[in-house]
Coordinates of all heavy atoms in Angstrom, one line a residue:
G240 N -6.1 14.5 0.4 CA -5.3 14.6 -0.9 C -3.9 14.1 -0.7 O -3.5 13.6 0.4
E241 N -3.1 14.3 -1.7 CA -1.7 13.8 -1.7 C -0.9 14.4 -0.6 O -0.9 15.6 -0.4 CB -1.1 14.0 -3.1 CG 0.3 13.3 -3.2 CD 0.7 13.4 -4.7 OE1 -0.1 13.8 -5.6 OE2 1.9 13.0 -5.0
R242 N -0.1 13.6 0.1 CA 0.8 14.1 1.2 C 2.1 14.4 0.6 O 2.7 13.7 -0.2 CB 1.0 13.0 2.2 CG 1.8 13.4 3.4 CD 1.8 12.4 4.5 NE 2.3 11.1 4.1 CZ 2.6 10.1 5.0 NH1 2.5 10.4 6.3 NH2 3.1 9.0 4.6
P243 N 2.6 15.6 0.9 CA 4.0 16.0 0.4 C 5.1 15.2 1.1 O 4.9 14.7 2.2 CB 4.0 17.5 0.8 CG 3.1 17.6 2.0 CD 2.0 16.7 1.8
G244 N 6.2 15.2 0.4 CA 7.4 14.6 1.0 C 7.5 13.1 0.9 O 8.3 12.4 1.5
V245 N 6.6 12.5 0.0 CA 6.6 11.0 -0.2 C 7.9 10.7 -1.0 O 8.2 11.3 -2.0 CB 5.4 10.5 -0.9 CG1 5.4 9.1 -1.2 CG2 4.1 10.8 0.0
P246 N 8.6 9.6 -0.6 CA 9.8 9.3 -1.4 C 9.5 8.9 -2.8 O 8.4 8.5 -3.2 CB 10.3 8.0 -0.6 CG 9.8 8.2 0.8 CD 8.4 8.8 0.6
A247 N 10.5 9.1 -3.7 CA 10.3 8.8 -5.1 C 10.1 7.3 -5.3 O 10.5 6.5 -4.4 CB 11.6 9.2 -5.9
P248 N 9.3 6.9 -6.3 CA 9.0 5.5 -6.5 C 10.3 4.6 -6.6 O 11.3 5.1 -7.2 CB 8.2 5.5 -7.8 CG 7.6 6.9 -7.9 CD 8.7 7.8 -7.3
D249 N 10.2 3.4 -6.1 CA 11.3 2.5 -6.1 C 11.0 1.5 -7.3 O 10.1 0.7 -7.2 CB 11.4 1.7 -4.8 CG 12.6 0.9 -4.7 OD1 13.1 0.4 -5.7 OD2 13.1 0.7 -3.5
D250 N 11.8 1.6 -8.3 CA 11.6 0.8 -9.5 C 11.9 -0.7 -9.3 O 11.7 -1.5 -10.2 CB 12.3 1.3 -10.7 CG 13.8 1.4 -10.6 OD1 14.3 0.9 -9.5 OD2 14.5 2.0 -11.4
R251 N 12.4 -1.1 -8.2 CA 12.7 -2.5 -7.9 C 11.4 -3.3 -7.6 O 11.4 -4.5 -7.6 CB 13.6 -2.6 -6.7 CG 15.0 -2.1 -7.0 CD 15.9 -2.2 -5.7 NE 15.3 -1.4 -4.6 CZ 15.8 -1.5 -3.4 NH1 16.8 -2.3 -3.1 NH2 15.3 -0.7 -2.4
V252 N 10.3 -2.5 -7.4 CA 9.0 -3.1 -7.0 C 8.0 -2.7 -8.0 O 7.9 -1.5 -8.3 CB 8.6 -2.8 -5.6 CG1 7.2 -3.3 -5.3 CG2 9.6 -3.3 -4.6
S253 N 7.2 -3.6 -8.6 CA 6.2 -3.3 -9.6 C 5.0 -2.6 -8.9 O 4.7 -2.8 -7.7 CB 5.8 -4.5 -10.4 OG 5.0 -5.4 -9.6
T254 N 4.2 -1.9 -9.8 CA 3.0 -1.3 -9.3 C 2.0 -2.4 -8.9 O 1.2 -2.3 -7.9 CB 2.4 -0.4 -10.4 OG1 3.3 0.6 -10.7 CG2 1.0 0.1 -10.0
L255 N 2.0 -3.5 -9.7 CA 1.0 -4.6 -9.4 C 1.3 -5.2 -8.0 O 0.4 -5.5 -7.2 CB 1.1 -5.7 -10.4 CG 0.5 -5.4 -11.8 CD1 0.7 -6.5 -12.8 CD2 -1.0 -5.1 -11.6
D256 N 2.6 -5.3 -7.7 CA 3.0 -5.8 -6.3 C 2.5 -4.9 -5.2 O 2.0 -5.3 -4.2 CB 4.5 -6.0 -6.2 CG 5.0 -7.2 -6.9 OD1 4.2 -8.1 -7.2 OD2 6.2 -7.3 -7.2
L257 N 2.7 -3.6 -5.5 CA 2.2 -2.6 -4.5 C 0.7 -2.6 -4.3 O 0.2 -2.5 -3.2 CB 2.7 -1.2 -4.8 CG 4.2 -0.9 -4.6 CD1 4.5 0.5 -5.0 CD2 4.5 -1.1 -3.1
L258 N 0.0 -2.8 -5.4 CA -1.5 -2.9 -5.3 C -1.9 -4.1 -4.6 O -2.8 -4.1 -3.7 CB -2.1 -2.9 -6.7 CG -2.1 -1.6 -7.5 CD1 -2.5 -1.8 -8.9 CD2 -3.1 -0.6 -6.8
A259 N -1.2 -5.2 -4.8 CA -1.5 -6.5 -4.1 C -1.2 -6.3 -2.6 O -2.0 -6.8 -1.7 CB -0.7 -7.6 -4.7
L260 N -0.1 -5.6 -2.3 CA 0.3 -5.4 -0.9 C -0.8 -4.5 -0.2 O -1.2 -4.8 0.9 CB 1.6 -4.7 -0.9 CG 2.2 -4.3 0.5 CD1 2.3 -5.5 1.4 CD2 3.5 -3.6 0.4
F261 N -1.2 -3.4 -0.9 CA -2.2 -2.5 -0.4 C -3.5 -3.3 -0.1 O -4.1 -3.1 1.0 CB -2.4 -1.4 -1.3 CG -3.4 -0.3 -0.8 CD1 -3.1 0.4 0.3 CD2 -4.6 -0.1 -1.4 CE1 -3.9 1.4 0.8 CE2 -5.5 0.9 -1.0 CZ -5.1 1.6 0.2
D262 N -4.0 -4.1 -1.0 CA -5.2 -4.8 -0.8 C -5.2 -5.7 0.4 O -6.1 -5.8 1.2 CB -5.6 -5.6 -2.1 CG -6.1 -4.7 -3.2 OD1 -6.4 -3.5 -2.9 OD2 -6.0 -5.1 -4.3
A263 N -4.0 -6.4 0.6 CA -3.9 -7.3 1.7 C -3.9 -6.5 3.0 O -4.5 -6.9 4.0 CB -2.6 -8.1 1.6
Q264 N -3.2 -5.4 3.0 CA -3.1 -4.6 4.2 C -4.4 -4.0 4.6 O -4.8 -4.0 5.8 CB -2.1 -3.5 4.0 CG -0.6 -3.9 3.9 CD 0.3 -2.8 3.6 OE1 0.0 -1.9 2.8 NE2 1.5 -2.9 4.1
V265 N -5.1 -3.5 3.6 CA -6.4 -2.9 3.9 C -7.4 -4.0 4.4 O -8.2 -3.7 5.3 CB -7.0 -2.2 2.6 CG1 -8.4 -1.8 2.8 CG2 -6.1 -1.0 2.4
Q266 N -7.4 -5.2 3.8 CA -8.3 -6.2 4.2 C -8.0 -6.6 5.7 O -8.9 -6.7 6.5 CB -8.0 -7.5 3.4 CG -8.9 -8.7 3.7 CD -8.5 -9.9 2.9 OE1 -8.0 -10.9 3.5 NE2 -8.8 -9.9 1.7
S267 N -6.7 -6.7 6.1 CA -6.3 -7.0 7.4 C -6.8 -5.9 8.4 O -7.4 -6.2 9.5 CB -4.8 -7.2 7.5 OG -4.4 -7.4 8.9
R268 N -6.7 -4.6 8.0 CA -7.1 -3.5 8.9 C -8.6 -3.6 9.1 O -9.0 -3.4 10.3 CB -6.7 -2.2 8.2 CG -7.1 -0.9 9.0 CD -6.4 -0.8 10.3 NE -4.9 -0.8 10.1 CZ -4.2 0.3 9.8 NH1 -4.7 1.4 9.6 NH2 -2.8 0.2 9.7
H269 N -9.4 -3.8 8.1 CA -10.8 -3.8 8.3 C -11.3 -5.1 9.1 O -12.3 -5.0 9.8 CB -11.5 -3.7 7.0 CG -11.5 -2.3 6.5 ND1 -12.1 -1.2 7.2 CD2 -11.0 -1.8 5.4 CE1 -11.9 -0.1 6.5 NE2 -11.2 -0.4 5.4
L270 N -10.5 -6.1 9.0 CA -10.8 -7.3 9.8 C -10.6 -7.0 11.3 O -11.4 -7.4 12.2 CB -10.0 -8.5 9.4 CG -10.5 -9.2 8.1 CD1 -9.4 -10.2 7.6 CD2 -11.8 -9.9 8.3
D271 N -9.6 -6.2 11.6 CA -9.4 -5.8 13.0 C -10.5 -4.9 13.5 O -11.0 -5.0 14.6 CB -8.1 -5.0 13.1 CG -6.9 -5.9 13.1 OD1 -7.0 -7.1 13.2 OD2 -5.8 -5.4 12.9
L272 N -11.0 -4.0 12.6 CA -12.1 -3.1 13.0 C -13.4 -4.0 13.2 O -14.2 -3.7 14.1 CB -12.3 -2.0 12.0 CG -11.1 -1.1 11.8 CD1 -11.3 -0.2 10.6 CD2 -11.0 -0.2 13.0
A273 N -13.6 -4.9 12.3 CA -14.8 -5.8 12.4 C -14.7 -6.6 13.7 O -15.8 -6.9 14.3 CB -14.9 -6.7 11.2

């Protein structure tokens, strides 16, 4: 579940950008495992 102590959201970055960033990072991580 959710981890406590996460910094407040930074409104200089959009949610869409963070989702795109997450997808790229996760893809890279699983390529390393593969």
Side-chain angles (χ1 to χ4, degrees):
E241 188 169 353
R242 181 170 60 164
V245 175
D249 189 330
D250 59 8
R251 294 176 298 173
V252 175
S253 72
T254 298
L255 286 177
D256 282 342
L257 285 176
L258 283 169
L260 177 62
F261 184 63
D262 287 343
Q264 292 176 322
V265 168
Q266 182 187 110
S267 176
R268 178 66 55 85
H269 284 299
L270 284 167
D271 285 345
L272 297 170

